[in-house]
Amino acid sequence: MAVIQKNLFEGKNLQPHEIIDNLEAMAYDKTVKTFTMEFDQEEKAQTKEQYFEALSQLDALESEFESQKLLYASKKKTLNLELQKAKVEIKNSGFETTEDVYMIDDQENNIMNFVDKRGNVIETRPLYRKEKQLSMKFSAAANS
């Protein structure tokens, strides 16, 4: 049985086109075949470098993706909260606020009115005993 050589032209110092010319002259026929071609040292080093560069870029991309995912989730949560708040405000025909209100007593009806800065009565309750007047109270606005 014949020993199969690794390279038919090993040690002959031929250029790539010379190898092809020789192969075509020696060949019985030519066909297309899929196979694994071994790297030379330079190709192997270059492919490893491309691999590690792509791996590094993929890690950076994954990191950026995670960061963007967190940003997206935060923005989505904020928008959902805004939507929920607006939905409640639309349902209630107004919005909840905390601000100064004016307590205006109505001695005739025995009621304390809570009035907002727009002049709207937002709440009423019965007068407490200490808020009830035994005598008439005159204000400058009432005298005008």
Side-chain angles (χ1 to χ4, degrees):
M1 178 168 208
V3 176
I4 299 176
Q5 288 181 317
K6 183 90 170 154
N7 187 311
L8 297 178
F9 304 101
E10 191 172 334
K12 296 207 168 89
N13 222 6
L14 298 174
Q15 296 296 317
H17 69 86
E18 293 175 313
I19 294 173
I20 290 174
D21 289 344
N22 278 293
L23 288 172
E24 286 180 355
M26 296 167 47
Y28 166 78
D29 196 4
K30 186 162 90 172
T31 186
V32 175
K33 191 168 180 81
T34 301
F35 63 99
T36 300
M37 184 179 292
E38 288 187 28
F39 289 131
D40 62 24
Q41 291 301 334
E42 185 179 322
E43 290 170 329
K44 188 173 186 176
Q46 189 176 31
T47 303
K48 280 184 178 181
E49 185 178 323
Q50 289 171 346
Y51 172 82
F52 288 115
E53 178 62 30
L55 189 59
S56 174
Q57 289 176 1
L58 182 61
D59 286 345
L61 192 61
E62 287 289 337
S63 177
E64 182 181 344
F65 175 72
E66 289 301 319
S67 173
Q68 290 299 320
K69 202 162 80 169
L70 291 173
L71 180 62
Y72 167 81
S74 173
K75 285 181 178 181
K76 182 179 178 186
K77 183 178 180 181
T78 300
L79 286 172
N80 279 331
L81 289 173
E82 287 179 27
L83 286 171
Q84 189 63 30
K85 180 179 178 237
K87 187 176 176 182
V88 168
E89 290 173 353
I90 290 168
K91 181 180 174 187
N92 294 338
S93 298
F95 60 95
E96 190 171 303
T97 183
T98 302
E99 58 187 53
D100 288 338
V101 293
Y102 303 90
M103 298 170 64
I104 311 293
D105 63 330
D106 179 352
Q107 294 292 328
E108 286 181 26
N109 294 310
N110 199 29
I111 293 175
M112 179 64 74
N113 294 303
F114 293 86
V115 183
D116 70 8
K117 65 183 178 187
R118 296 178 181 170
N120 298 315
V121 176
I122 58 168
E123 188 180 326
T124 60
R125 64 163 170 78
L127 288 172
Y128 296 149
R129 186 176 306 160
K130 65 179 182 174
E131 296 169 336
K132 294 179 183 178
Q133 287 186 342
L134 299 176
S135 59
M136 294 284 287
K137 174 178 148 185
F138 293 100
S139 69
N143 289 334
S144 313

